[in-house]
C-alpha cells in the first residue's frame, strides 16, 4: 500500500488549455480503451449466443440426438415423458462490429468523432458524446460521456463516418453508427446494444449486403458497468498519457 497523494491543483488557464487548438493531436486514454474493448468482446460473444438461440431447431427425440439434448425444453415438457433434442444452425459467422447506444439525445451529445485504432488489439471507433471542452480536468485533458459508440475490427479501415454520404439515410446519430457498423463489418454479424431495436428498414438494408444485425437490449447489462463505460477522456497529445492518471478518477 502507499499513501494517497493529494489531487493536482488547477494551473493557470494557458497551461490547462494547451493543445486544444490542434484537433489532430486528440487521443484516448489507454486504460479506458481496454475496458471498452473488453466489454465489446463480451457483447460479441453474447450476440452469437443470442443468434444461436434464435436459430436452433428443437424437436422430440426420435432417432438421433442431433446436437444434443435441449434441457430447457425437456424440463418444460416433463409431463410428456419425452426428451427434446436441438439442432444448431452452423456457420453463423463472426461479429465484426459492435454498436452501443447509451442515449440518443442529440442536444446532449453533439460531439461527433471518428478514431482509428492504434494497434491490432484495438478496433476503429466512431462516437457521439458530450463535448470534451465542457469538462476540462487537467492540462490538455478533458472528460466526456458517450451517447453512443461503434467499434469495428480489424483497425485502420474506417473513414470519417459523420460526413460520409453513404449513411445519409440515417435518421439519428445512432442509426449512422449502425449503418457504418454494417458497412465496415468484415464478418456476417453486427451487434447492436440499445434501448430499442433498429428499424426493420435497416435490418433489410443490412441483409442486402449479406449482414445480420443482432439486437441486444441494453437493459440486460449492469447499470453500474454501463455508467463506468460511458465516461471517457480526450487527451490533446499522446504525451498527456504520462500525466493523465493524476487527473482522472
Amino acid at each position: 500500500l502507499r499513501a494517497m497523494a493529494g489531487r493536482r491543483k488547477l494551473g493557470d488557464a494557458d497551461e490547462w488549455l494547451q493543445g486544444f487548438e490542434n484537433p489532430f493531436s486528440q487521443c484516448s486514454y489507454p486504460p479506458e480503451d481496454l475496458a471498452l474493448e473488453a466489454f465489446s468482446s463480451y457483447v460479441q460473444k453474447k450476440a452469437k449466443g443470442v443468434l444461436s438461440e434464435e436459430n436452433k431447431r428443437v424437436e422430440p427425440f426420435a432417432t438421433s440426438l442431433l446436437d444434443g439434448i435441449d434441457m430447457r425444453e425437456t424440463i418444460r415438457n416433463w409431463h410428456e415423458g419425452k426428451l427434446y433434442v436441438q439442432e444448431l444452425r452452423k456457420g453463423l459467422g463472426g461479429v465484426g462490429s459492435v454498436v452501443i447506444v447509451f442515449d440518443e439525445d442529440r442536444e446532449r451529445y453533439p460531439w461527433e468523432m471518428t478514431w482509428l485504432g492504434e494497434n491490432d488489439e484495438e478496433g476503429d471507433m466512431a462516437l457521439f458524446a458530450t463535448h470534451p471542452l465542457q469538462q476540462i480536468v487537467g492540462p490538455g485533458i478533458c472528460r466526456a460521456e458517450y451517447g453512443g459508440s461503434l467499434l469495428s475490427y480489424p483497425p485502420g479501415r474506417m473513414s470519417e463516418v459523420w460526413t460520409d454520404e453513404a449513411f445519409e439515410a440515417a435518421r439519428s446519430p445512432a442509426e449512422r453508427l449502425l449503418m457504418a457498423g454494417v458497412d465496415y463489418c468484415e464478418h456476417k454479424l453486427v451487434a447492436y446494444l440499445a434501448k430499442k431495436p433498429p428499424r426493420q428498414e435497416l435490418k433489410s438494408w443490412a441483409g442486402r449486403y449479406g449482414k445480420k444485425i443482432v439486437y441486444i437490449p441494453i437493459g440486460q447489462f449492469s447499470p453500474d458497468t454501463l455508467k463506468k463505460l460511458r465516461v471517457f477522456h480526450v487527451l490533446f497529445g499522446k504525451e498527456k498519457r504520462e500525466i493523465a492518471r493524476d487527473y482522472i478518477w
Side-chain angles (χ1 to χ4, degrees):
L1 299 176
R2 62 180 177 82
M4 183 179 293
R7 192 178 302 283
R8 287 289 189 94
K9 296 182 179 180
L10 300 181
D12 58 42
D14 289 340
E15 177 190 2
W16 281 61
L17 291 173
Q18 60 182 286
F20 287 173
E21 71 281 356
N22 181 11
F24 298 104
S25 69
Q26 295 172 3
C27 64
S28 59
Y29 183 51
E32 293 171 343
D33 295 341
L34 292 174
L36 187 60
E37 295 282 351
F39 183 74
S40 295
S41 295
Y42 176 70
V43 172
Q44 287 176 310
K45 294 177 182 177
K46 190 170 182 65
K48 293 191 71 172
V50 168
L51 196 59
S52 295
E53 190 68 23
E54 289 179 355
N55 286 276
K56 75 177 182 181
R57 183 170 63 90
V58 179
E59 61 183 43
F61 170 73
T63 59
S64 171
L65 286 175
L66 300 177
D67 291 311
I69 298 172
D70 188 305
M71 294 302 298
R72 180 185 301 175
E73 201 65 24
T74 297
I75 293 173
R76 182 181 299 163
N77 296 283
W78 189 255
H79 61 282
E80 297 179 359
K82 297 179 180 179
L83 282 178
Y84 279 77
V85 295
Q86 58 187 346
E87 182 177 18
L88 304 177
R89 180 182 175 186
K90 304 298 191 296
L92 295 176
V95 180
S97 297
V98 176
V99 179
I100 304 173
V101 181
F102 298 100
D103 191 340
E104 295 193 49
D105 189 331
R106 288 173 180 264
E107 294 185 2
R108 185 177 179 185
Y109 305 99
W111 195 60
E112 299 169 341
M113 182 57 59
T114 302
W115 279 340
L116 296 180
E118 296 182 40
N119 56 64
D120 292 339
E121 302 301 318
E122 295 182 350
D124 290 339
M125 172 183 270
L127 62 95
F128 62 96
T130 56
H131 202 290
L133 293 185
Q134 291 177 345
Q135 281 191 286
I136 302 171
V137 298
I141 303 170
C142 299
R143 182 179 295 119
E145 182 179 288
Y146 290 116
S149 67
L150 156 67
L151 278 170
S152 188
Y153 308 87
R157 302 172 298 115
M158 193 175 288
S159 299
E160 178 49 66
V161 166
W162 300 103
T163 56
D164 195 326
E165 294 182 357
F167 312 133
E168 287 301 307
R171 297 179 181 177
S172 66
E175 287 196 355
R176 182 172 279 268
L177 288 184
L178 181 55
M179 293 184 73
V182 171
D183 187 51
Y184 285 102
C185 184
E186 293 196 347
H187 297 282
K188 292 183 178 180
L189 308 179
V190 176
Y192 184 66
L193 183 64
K195 294 178 181 178
K196 59 184 180 181
R199 290 187 289 129
Q200 183 59 47
E201 292 88 341
L202 290 179
K203 293 181 180 179
S204 299
W205 175 79
R208 291 198 293 271
Y209 291 92
K211 309 293 174 59
K212 182 176 179 62
I213 299 170
V214 183
Y215 168 64
I216 305 173
I218 198 168
Q220 293 183 4
F221 296 85
S222 162
D224 288 339
T225 297
L226 296 175
K227 183 178 180 180
K228 292 176 182 177
L229 284 173
R230 291 187 69 171
V231 177
F232 69 104
H233 292 79
V234 181
L235 313 182
F236 289 79
K238 290 186 178 181
E239 70 280 0
K240 301 299 191 302
R241 288 173 171 170
E242 298 179 4
I243 63 170
R245 64 179 177 272
D246 294 327
Y247 299 91
I248 292 174
W249 62 91

